């Protein structure tokens, strides 16, 4: 995988986010790096090597899209975040209480 991960990879990242959260319980979260490793593996890179970090901007863009669509929500230490900043975890959007 080269450093030219482009916009077309956003669909791969969106798909990876949804696949990973579908494998978890409703309240469980995933880490953005899990998504990046999945995208890197699909692109033929070693997911344990440093190349997965190249995919992070694409992963962030995909997560921003999914959040805007209401498909996922972000949290840190159990508190829901209004937007992506600093460290965060991703989970399936929860129904309003």
């Amino acid at each position: 995988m080269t450093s030219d991960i482009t916009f077309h990879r956003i669909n791969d990242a969106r798909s990876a986010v949804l696949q990973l959260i579908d494998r978890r319980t409703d309240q469980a979260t995933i880490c953005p790096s899990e998504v990046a490793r999945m995208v890197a593996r699909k692109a033929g890179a070693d997911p344990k090597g440093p190349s997965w970090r190249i995919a992070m901007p694409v992963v962030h863009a995909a997560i921003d899209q999914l959040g805007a669509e209401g498909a996922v929500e972000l949290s840190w230490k159990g508190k829901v975040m209004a937007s992506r900043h600093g460290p965060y975890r991703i989970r399936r959007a929860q129904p309003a209480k």
Side-chain angles (χ1 to χ4, degrees):
M1 183 165 88
T2 64
S3 62
D4 66 344
I5 299 260
T6 57
F7 192 76
H8 73 278
R9 291 267 183 234
I10 291 176
N11 285 336
D12 291 341
R14 287 172 58 98
S15 177
V17 168
L18 297 173
Q19 286 176 32
L20 288 167
I21 62 173
D22 280 348
R23 295 178 189 166
R24 311 281 168 89
T25 64
D26 286 344
Q27 296 294 319
T29 63
I30 60 172
C31 182
S33 66
E34 291 177 76
V35 179
R37 285 180 174 89
M38 192 175 214
V39 170
R41 184 173 25 256
K42 184 173 181 179
D46 177 2
K48 294 181 182 175
S51 60
W52 65 267
R53 294 177 192 278
I54 296 168
M56 287 304 294
V58 172
V59 169
H60 293 315
I63 291 165
D64 290 346
Q65 285 180 1
L66 289 166
E69 294 166 8
V72 299
E73 59 188 24
L74 309 178
S75 65
W76 185 244
K77 297 189 177 186
K79 295 186 181 189
V80 175
M81 301 168 62
S83 64
R84 181 179 56 77
H85 62 277
Y88 66 96
R89 305 277 299 175
I90 310 151
R91 72 177 180 190
R92 183 177 297 105
Q94 304 297 302
K97 293 180 181 180

